Amino acid sequence: HIGRPIVQKTYHCEMKIYLVKNIYASDESFVEKCIAFFPKWRKEKMLRYKHLKGQIQCGLGYLLLIHALREEGIFKEMPEFSYNEHEKPFLKNYPGWHFNISHCSNAVCCVLSRKNVGIDIEEVRDYKESLATYVCNNDEIKTLHDSEDQADDFYKLWTMKEAVFKAIGSGITNNIKEILQTPYINIESQKTDNIWISVASDM
């Protein structure tokens, strides 16, 4: 085990989600241990982050993926990535398996699935009407206006939208207001402490 964060595993749609919270429990020694055994490309990616926080998030995301592959009993070598034109990563050396990684300020999560998948994680912060107007359609705005907890409901919606974008591999587009209408995509959300996690996958 590297570092002190705890891995939590939850299940959605026949897939497993792995979550590490309290990532500030890790320090420079965590990064040094990662450097010792990460493949060259991942080591370089991690060290491109100027701040320790980014390095830790990058390292934990990759470790969670390794952990997920081991849990499935399919780990045989360090995962290698390829990317589409919008920088969505794919597993080059584990055909038939799909994954996605996301992080917020104090948590990192990873999902592994047989289906095409996207995941997003966000901490609930202050509600901003201007941001809601930018990303939500009229029906969603009305729902938020009627909500007893606008911030909570908004960040759930935000993670759902991000997860769909990541599942379809398009990156955020001008379709952000209507992205939840994407056909043949299943979305599930779960809240843990003050964090929303949403997963989108092919039906």
Side-chain angles (χ1 to χ4, degrees):
H1 297 281
I2 295 182
R4 283 177 278 175
I6 303 299
V7 175
Q8 295 183 348
K9 180 170 63 178
T10 57
Y11 296 85
H12 288 253
C13 304
E14 300 178 355
M15 65 187 70
K16 296 177 184 178
I17 301 166
Y18 298 87
L19 169 68
V20 174
K21 296 188 291 184
N22 302 318
I23 66 175
Y24 294 123
S26 300
D27 54 21
E28 290 89 347
S29 64
F30 168 81
V31 175
E32 292 170 0
K33 291 174 183 176
C34 289
I35 290 173
F37 78 95
F38 274 13
K40 183 173 183 291
W41 69 271
R42 190 67 184 187
K43 186 188 313 180
E44 291 174 347
K45 179 177 178 63
M46 184 174 64
L47 293 178
R48 278 199 293 269
Y49 289 91
K50 294 181 180 180
H51 301 291
L52 178 63
K53 174 182 169 182
Q55 294 175 0
I56 291 171
Q57 289 169 332
C58 182
L60 281 172
Y62 193 66
L63 284 176
L64 282 180
L65 176 58
I66 294 171
H67 181 74
L69 293 168
R70 289 187 182 278
E71 285 271 307
E72 288 292 339
I74 59 172
F75 180 82
K76 59 183 186 296
E77 59 185 346
M78 300 294 270
E80 297 283 339
F81 297 177
S82 58
Y83 298 86
N84 73 2
E85 66 272 23
H86 299 290
E87 295 300 311
K88 178 179 179 177
F90 295 91
L91 285 169
K92 187 187 300 184
N93 52 342
Y94 288 89
W97 288 93
H98 302 267
F99 83 102
N100 206 226
I101 295 169
S102 183
H103 61 76
C104 59
S105 63
N106 198 27
V108 179
C109 61
C110 174
V111 59
L112 183 68
S113 174
R114 282 292 196 177
K115 299 178 179 180
N116 189 42
V117 68
I119 193 168
D120 190 59
I121 183 171
E122 294 287 347
E123 289 181 88
V124 177
R125 303 186 293 278
D126 292 340
Y127 176 75
K128 295 183 179 180
E129 182 74 21
S130 59
L131 181 58
T133 302
Y134 177 73
V135 304
C136 296
N137 61 37
N138 291 336
D139 290 338
E140 292 164 348
I141 289 293
K142 183 179 185 307
T143 298
L144 289 172
H145 284 170
D146 295 338
S147 170
E148 295 181 358
D149 192 334
Q150 290 178 316
D152 194 66
D153 289 342
F154 171 75
Y155 280 100
K156 179 182 178 181
L157 266 176
W158 177 269
T159 60
M160 292 169 66
K161 289 172 181 276
E162 284 271 15
V164 174
F165 278 125
K166 295 177 76 175
I168 63 179
S170 67
I172 294 180
T173 69
N174 292 332
N175 193 35
I176 191 167
K177 291 188 176 184
E178 307 299 334
I179 191 63
L180 295 185
Q181 310 303 320
T182 302
Y184 311 117
I185 293 288
N186 183 72
I187 309 168
E188 291 195 28
S189 301
Q190 176 175 314
K191 190 178 182 186
T192 173
D193 296 329
N194 198 42
I195 294 171
W196 273 108
I197 302 172
S198 289
V199 181
S201 63
D202 292 345
M203 288 184 175

